Amino acid sequence: MKKLAAIILIFILVLQMASIVYAWEVERPSNDINIKERTENASTNGEASVGIGVAIKDYNEAPNDYSADFVSLNVSMTANSRIGITYDCSWDNLWWVSEDDLWHRNDMVGVGDDVIIPIDIPQPPDIYYFAFRFYGGYGSAEYQRLYVSSNGFISFDNRSQPSPAPSDIPSTSKPNALIAAVWSDLNVDSSSSIITGFWIFSSCEYYVIIWKNVLHKASGNRLTFEIILENAPQYYPADRRYSQSRIWISYKDVSSINAEFTYGIEDQQGAKGIGGLCSGSSLEYFKGYTVEFYQSSNSYFLKRLTLTFQDTNPNTQFEIREEDNGYFLRGYNIRPNWNQPWEPDYTYKFTKALAGTATLLIDAWSLVANPPAWVVAGGFIVDTILVTLDLADILAYNQISGRSIDVFDMNDGLWQKANATALTYDYVVDASLSLVVHWILKTSNSVGTHSLTITATAEYYEYSMLTGEIIPKDPISTSVNLKIGPDDNDNPDSADEISTGWHYRLYIGGYDANDYYKIYVTRGYVIYVYATGTSSPKPVFYLDLYDPNGEWRTGTSYACSNTLSFTADSTGYWLIRVHIYDDTSGFYSLYVSLHYPYSSGGGGGGCPYVYAWNGSQYVIDNNLLPASEGSNGADVNDYYRLEQKLVPMYEEGFLSLYSLQIREFEHEHTYLDTIKLFAVDHDPNIKVGVTLDGQILTYEDPVPPISAVNSRGENVLTPLYLADNNYYQGFEGDYLILDFGEINPKNVDVKLILRTDRPPLKMSIHIQILDSSGQWKEIATIIPRTYWATDIINLSNYLPNSKTELKIRLYFTASHKIDFIGLDISKQADIKIYKAQLILAKHSSEGLITSKLLKNDNIYTELKPEEQITLLFITYKKPSLKERAFVIYVEGHYYTIKS
């Protein structure tokens, strides 16, 4: 659970990074403010990478020790030189290490089918130290734990699954950090085994993994092969000391199989590798051969890291702060002062500065897709033992381990600029440098703009693997910009002209009692203004709106958050005034939109759409809240069974994490009150649907009607047999009469199954049943969704408890498509329904809004065009012999914006 909690923490940190930009700007406050924000940036050139993260802690108004305002910053830079590592391979006659020659041998007989075995490589006294270096360097990606799959591969990725279906190399899908010998669907049954142990030859040490006599399930053939890993060569001759560990894959007894297999190696992010997916028939040609993988590129090593600070305003000073223990700087793989004790950072001071995808030099999508991936990703990565530690510990403690650093160069207290430089250890490929700095502003609040550029520079060199020559390289840099300007829009004449959308880090209070903004509005448009305090404590303020003639038109009372709207009755610049209440002060954000008046009906609009995480990306599933089109602004309840496959983002123990997105990209303004997700586990032969009122029903093999006659007297049954996109399209006023013949509803559950789609108009299909008096009785109304979706209607309550002729009429109020109709009379199957817990909701503009979506309280989260919400749910892991369906429940409504 601790690891899972850490993964959730990382997911939150990544989502917080989604709206961060490389330039950060704020209006200058007039009092102390806790800012608690961050910005970051990164750069790479294919050989090395550098990242910077800045946690902007607080603004301090003229304390006694400075007699000037200052901003407190925690700054961290990272660098790596592993990105340029490449491998090559060569084939030779078989080199086989016999199991009889292994030291510290471990025989695992009959471990089973689809098994992953975590193995901590032993560190026996007769082998001084064993670590396998793979796309890494000293103290980085040197592995002492591996994950052995019964399906013919090993991985160093702690997310590894048995994975019986091989994928190509390279591939971003997991497993990554991979070495595959014969990756296919194998079984280590009672007649086969996996054997591990050490082998020493010519003073070189190797760790060997043997798959002996394993069964290829599809063909029935028996296979024997092995993977040989070389110890990290730090104790070898100089021409090999800094290279990657070599890898050998040997094929002793293999033959053709009737399914594809994969062989080769792949890096930690699935971005590069050698090998690939092969036809099963080619495996026989591998017999009696060994393939060796070795580093083909030169190595690149870090030399020194530098942070520089430069303000365009000459009336600026910097102070690099000394901690209580005398440490100015902290870092990882930074050369220490040997006369001082080494101390880890028990305070986790630089966690927020480091906690971003750019700062950690990793790809945001790979991190979100596979939360612990950064432990072994292609960026700033870590010590051998850290791979087995909890993620939070790696992030907040080990990666920012404190050191009494041998400061190579440091200048602070200067006007306008400062710098700090530290040397790295020799031959390292990952390093970080962190410090606390006070940015001292020697100007008054109402005048002077300060623009600070913080630059992170990594110096590195190339090391020739052939000659040992040191080749200098140009340094690589990245930077962020922080800007503080006077708040001078305090009257109508100096109003800031703004556009629609969000405006952040605005200040009100103290010397700045009023903020004025102007925006050009065309007559007939609705002006919508929303302002909310963002600092702690929050400012309390009024909102006022003035027309182009300066006449006050509407306003609000005082509050920490205010909203106003008004339909413009003249064209020109309208003024928005934010006016402080009493002596409060602080930061706020302002949102402004312009649109024609809302329409609550008439069809033709869109909806918010749900997107499902499919293992590599979010894919569109379908629209939500279709009934809101005619609800006149009232909330509607929408239950929908997802059509797209929802794949866990991460699994640990008995729990799984799932993610959805809700996006609004059409002309709607959506108000969401509650979102829930239900996981439904069922047998593979069972299907699941959800009714309009949320009943989760099962069905097995729906039977099509005997006939389906439309309003023109035509039998159109043929396109309704299968869910195959071959459909019948009705029109407004059309109907289908479905004849299911005689049925006996006694002791069974009768369900109508429909698969429908719609054109742009959101109109309904009325479902009617012919009663005993010969009248059509309406039992349900469905609004088909944008894409194909399955609807299920429980008919049991509308039928007599005896044999009866069943006829159903579908009446169309618009043009709709149906490609399947069936009647299911199976009993409700045994299913398990779990309500997944919503643990995170991140709005693309408003940030974390989880609490707003947890209960029905009329406290809404709003979605405007081009906005989205990312959701993270946690629930029990799916049992291996079950299938899982998902039902999403959304309560809310939307308005169509006419344009």
Side-chain angles (χ1 to χ4, degrees):
M1 287 300 295
K2 183 178 179 184
K3 182 179 291 184
L4 194 59
I7 290 160
I8 294 168
L9 168 66
I10 291 301
F11 195 94
I12 292 171
L13 291 170
V14 172
L15 291 181
Q16 287 175 333
M17 287 306 304
S19 60
I20 287 173
V21 295
Y22 307 142
W24 180 90
E25 184 172 357
V26 71
E27 289 185 341
R28 188 160 177 177
S30 62
N31 62 325
D32 294 353
I33 292 287
N34 290 321
I35 299 176
K36 296 181 180 178
E37 296 189 24
R38 76 180 303 275
T39 185
E40 65 168 8
N41 204 354
S43 179
T44 186
N45 61 8
E47 296 174 349
S49 305
V50 63
I52 186 171
V54 180
I56 305 146
K57 294 175 57 183
D58 46 50
Y59 180 94
N60 300 270
E61 180 72 16
N64 292 331
D65 50 348
Y66 291 140
S67 298
D69 302 352
F70 74 90
V71 182
S72 181
L73 308 172
N74 284 9
V75 183
S76 292
M77 71 166 291
T78 59
N80 88 67
S81 55
R82 303 199 286 129
I83 192 170
I85 296 172
T86 59
Y87 285 76
D88 205 344
C89 69
S90 62
W91 290 84
D92 206 341
N93 292 328
L94 180 68
W95 173 41
W96 185 259
V97 176
S98 170
E99 62 202 79
D100 297 330
D101 295 330
L102 298 182
W103 294 17
H104 306 283
R105 170 176 160 178
N106 181 22
D107 288 54
M108 295 170 281
V109 179
V111 297
D113 185 24
D114 292 341
V115 176
I116 196 81
I117 307 168
I119 296 178
D120 289 311
I121 298 176
Q123 303 295 315
D126 46 359
I127 295 179
Y128 175 71
Y129 177 84
F130 192 98
F132 174 69
R133 185 185 300 158
F134 188 52
Y135 287 103
Y138 275 169
S140 298
E142 290 187 330
Y143 297 102
Q144 293 180 306
R145 167 173 276 206
L146 63 153
Y147 299 84
V148 179
S149 171
S150 59
N151 292 312
F153 68 85
I154 65 172
S155 174
F156 305 95
D157 186 337
N158 57 6
R159 304 159 295 152
S160 296
Q161 300 296 320
S163 304
S167 60
D168 204 358
I169 288 178
S171 170
T172 56
S173 61
K174 59 183 180 182
N176 304 120
L178 170 79
I179 302 173
V182 182
W183 179 9
S184 192
D185 193 3
L186 309 178
N187 185 10
V188 184
D189 59 11
S190 58
S191 299
S192 54
S193 59
I194 294 176
I195 304 169
T196 63
F198 290 101
W199 186 64
I200 300 176
F201 179 75
S202 296
S203 300
C204 294
E205 299 157 344
Y206 307 89
Y207 192 71
V208 183
I209 307 97
I210 304 173
W211 285 260
K212 182 179 179 180
N213 203 39
V214 295
L215 175 68
H216 183 259
K217 291 161 60 177
S219 65
N221 293 348
R222 296 281 177 175
L223 311 173
T224 299
F225 52 88
E226 69 183 11
I227 295 174
I228 305 168
L229 307 178
E230 181 188 38
N231 197 0
Q234 54 260 54
Y235 305 111
Y236 293 175
D239 62 339
R240 295 244 27 259
R241 187 171 302 162
Y242 310 115
S243 63
Q244 307 303 301
S245 298
R246 290 175 293 185
I247 304 154
W248 294 265
I249 304 176
S250 296
Y251 299 90
K252 182 179 181 182
D253 188 8
V254 295
S255 58
S256 294
I257 54 178
N258 59 356
E260 292 179 321
F261 72 98
T262 292
Y263 86 98
I265 66 173
E266 180 181 272
D267 75 351
Q268 290 88 348
Q269 285 185 299
K272 55 188 174 182
I274 302 178
L277 191 63
C278 303
S279 67
S281 60
S282 66
L283 182 57
E284 67 174 307
Y285 302 109
F286 287 46
K287 181 177 181 179
Y289 289 95
T290 294
V291 57
E292 177 187 358
F293 299 90
Y294 51 89
Q295 182 177 344
S296 58
S297 63
N298 283 340
S299 292
Y300 302 91
F301 298 114
L302 299 174
K303 183 178 180 181
R304 77 170 53 91
L305 307 184
T306 298
L307 285 166
T308 59
F309 303 82
Q310 179 82 35
D311 193 333
T312 57
N313 193 315
N315 298 308
T316 304
Q317 282 186 291
F318 298 94
E319 181 184 8
I320 298 175
R321 297 290 291 175
E322 180 178 351
E323 300 180 42
D324 294 338
N325 54 16
Y327 299 163
F328 287 92
L329 309 178
R330 290 188 177 271
Y332 176 76
N333 274 342
I334 296 297
R335 188 170 297 175
N337 181 344
W338 299 97
N339 297 321
Q340 298 290 334
W342 294 7
E343 290 289 339
D345 188 354
Y346 299 107
T347 66
Y348 304 87
K349 183 185 297 291
F350 296 99
T351 298
K352 187 164 186 176
L354 283 165
T357 55
T359 313
L360 291 172
L361 302 174
I362 55 177
D363 175 72
W365 277 109
S366 68
L367 180 56
V368 176
N370 307 296
W374 74 271
V375 177
V376 290
F380 178 79
I381 309 302
V382 297
D383 198 67
T384 307
I385 61 168
L386 303 187
V387 176
T388 63
L389 297 179
D390 287 345
L391 191 57
D393 294 335
I394 299 172
L395 175 66
Y397 183 82
N398 292 281
Q399 186 155 300
I400 56 174
S401 296
R403 300 289 187 262
S404 181
I405 289 172
D406 184 13
V407 179
F408 181 79
D409 182 35
M410 188 171 73
N411 293 289
D412 71 324
L414 303 177
W415 291 95
Q416 209 172 355
K417 62 183 178 181
N419 69 277
T421 301
L423 299 175
T424 68
Y425 277 122
D426 293 334
Y427 308 111
V428 298
V429 296
D430 291 302
S432 73
L433 180 64
S434 300
L435 56 83
V436 177
V437 65
H438 285 177
W439 177 22
I440 306 167
L441 314 176
K442 296 282 189 173
T443 55
S444 62
N445 287 357
S446 58
V447 297
T449 296
H450 290 263
S451 181
L452 169 62
T453 299
I454 307 175
T455 302
T457 302
E459 298 177 57
Y460 72 104
Y461 59 91
E462 183 176 356
Y463 180 88
S464 172
M465 303 305 294
L466 293 176
T467 66
E469 178 186 5
I470 302 295
I471 306 168
K473 307 293 291 187
D474 292 333
I476 184 170
S477 299
T478 191
S479 63
V480 295
N481 181 260
L482 282 63
K483 188 175 182 180
I484 294 180
D487 195 332
D488 54 6
N489 59 331
D490 53 1
N491 63 73
D493 293 334
S494 61
D496 289 341
E497 184 171 355
I498 59 173
S499 59
T500 57
W502 280 98
H503 305 271
Y504 300 101
R505 305 183 193 91
L506 308 171
Y507 183 81
I508 189 77
Y511 72 94
D512 179 37
N514 295 286
D515 282 346
Y516 283 87
Y517 305 92
K518 64 180 181 179
I519 186 168
Y520 192 85
V521 185
T522 302
R523 183 174 182 267
Y525 274 83
V526 173
I527 308 166
Y528 174 85
V529 181
Y530 171 69
T532 183
T534 56
S535 59
S536 180
K538 295 181 178 181
V540 181
F541 54 85
Y542 306 85
L543 280 181
D544 293 295
L545 186 68
Y546 298 85
D547 66 19
N549 296 319
E551 297 294 327
W552 181 90
R553 304 307 299 273
T554 188
T556 70
S557 61
Y558 59 85
C560 294
S561 293
N562 271 313
T563 300
L564 63 79
S565 63
F566 190 81
T567 302
D569 52 12
S570 60
T571 298
Y573 280 102
W574 287 66
L575 285 177
I576 302 163
R577 182 178 78 144
V578 183
H579 175 63
I580 199 65
Y581 170 76
D582 202 15
D583 60 352
T584 66
S585 61
F587 288 116
Y588 66 97
S589 294
L590 179 71
Y591 177 84
V592 181
S593 68
L594 302 175
H595 51 78
Y596 274 114
Y598 290 137
S599 167
S600 60
C607 288
Y609 285 78
V610 60
Y611 284 67
W613 179 257
N614 71 355
S616 60
Q617 62 182 334
Y618 291 99
V619 293
I620 192 168
D621 191 301
N622 228 321
N623 62 309
L624 300 172
L625 302 174
S628 180
E629 193 82 6
S631 73
N632 293 316
D635 281 356
V636 298
N637 300 309
D638 186 20
Y639 293 91
Y640 171 62
R641 194 211 72 192
L642 297 180
E643 294 283 335
Q644 297 289 340
K645 185 176 179 62
L646 183 60
V647 175
M649 277 198 158
Y650 184 71
E651 293 183 311
E652 174 71 25
F654 57 89
L655 295 175
S656 297
L657 294 176
Y658 294 93
S659 185
L660 298 170
Q661 283 187 344
I662 310 295
R663 300 185 190 179
E664 182 60 81
F665 52 81
E666 295 188 337
H667 297 287
E668 274 74 41
H669 186 160
T670 298
Y671 296 78
L672 299 174
D673 193 5
T674 307
I675 298 178
K676 299 176 184 178
L677 183 69
F678 299 92
V680 186
D681 292 343
H682 56 89
D683 290 335
N685 63 315
I686 297 297
K687 302 179 183 66
V688 169
V690 62
T691 66
L692 296 173
D693 60 357
Q695 298 180 66
I696 298 176
L697 303 179
T698 62
Y699 61 99
E700 295 183 18
D701 190 17
V703 177
I706 299 171
S707 64
V709 179
N710 66 10
S711 60
R712 296 184 294 271
E714 302 164 338
N715 189 349
V716 294
L717 182 60
T718 301
L720 304 177
Y721 272 116
L722 299 172
D724 57 1
N725 296 332
N726 181 23
Y727 55 84
Y728 171 77
Q729 184 162 358
F731 53 89
E732 182 180 356
D734 190 15
Y735 58 79
L736 287 179
I737 295 179
L738 311 173
D739 186 355
F740 288 98
E742 186 179 74
I743 67 167
N744 185 0
K746 186 177 182 180
N747 299 323
V748 296
D749 297 313
V750 183
K751 292 148 283 191
L752 179 67
I753 314 298
L754 304 173
R755 189 167 182 259
T756 60
D757 189 6
R758 68 159 177 86
L761 292 177
K762 295 181 197 153
M763 306 298 283
S764 56
I765 298 176
H766 297 260
I767 301 172
Q768 303 163 340
I769 193 168
L770 190 65
D771 64 16
S772 58
S773 64
Q775 301 296 312
W776 291 109
K777 179 180 179 181
E778 188 162 309
I779 61 173
T781 300
I782 62 171
I783 300 177
R785 299 180 191 266
T786 302
Y787 303 108
W788 292 112
T790 301
D791 294 291
I792 186 168
I793 295 93
N794 190 350
L795 301 179
S796 298
N797 294 333
Y798 305 100
L799 300 175
N801 196 22
S802 60
K803 288 184 179 181
T804 185
E805 294 283 336
L806 178 60
K807 290 187 177 181
I808 293 174
R809 183 169 74 172
L810 306 182
Y811 181 80
F812 295 77
T813 61
S815 177
H816 290 300
K817 303 173 184 176
I818 302 180
D819 86 335
F820 177 77
I821 299 175
L823 192 73
D824 185 85
I825 57 172
S826 62
K827 292 285 289 183
Q828 177 75 0
D830 183 24
I831 57 177
K832 292 288 187 182
I833 303 174
Y834 301 102
K835 179 186 174 184
Q837 179 64 45
L838 177 64
I839 59 174
L840 184 88
K842 166 67 166 56
H843 193 289
S844 57
S845 298
E846 299 177 18
L848 296 176
I849 43 88
T850 313
S851 60
K852 287 187 176 183
L853 298 175
L854 291 176
K855 58 183 178 180
N856 177 359
D857 54 8
N858 293 324
I859 299 176
Y860 295 99
T861 292
E862 299 181 36
L863 271 181
K864 304 178 187 69
E866 307 304 325
E867 294 183 337
Q868 67 185 34
I869 300 171
T870 301
L871 306 165
L872 184 65
F873 295 90
I874 189 169
T875 190
Y876 292 106
K877 196 175 188 178
K878 180 184 73 68
S880 59
L881 299 179
K882 297 289 185 179
E883 297 293 327
R884 173 165 284 183
F886 291 90
V887 172
I888 186 173
Y889 164 75
V890 179
E891 180 183 357
H893 64 277
Y894 66 85
Y895 294 100
T896 299
I897 303 171
K898 287 187 174 181
S899 59

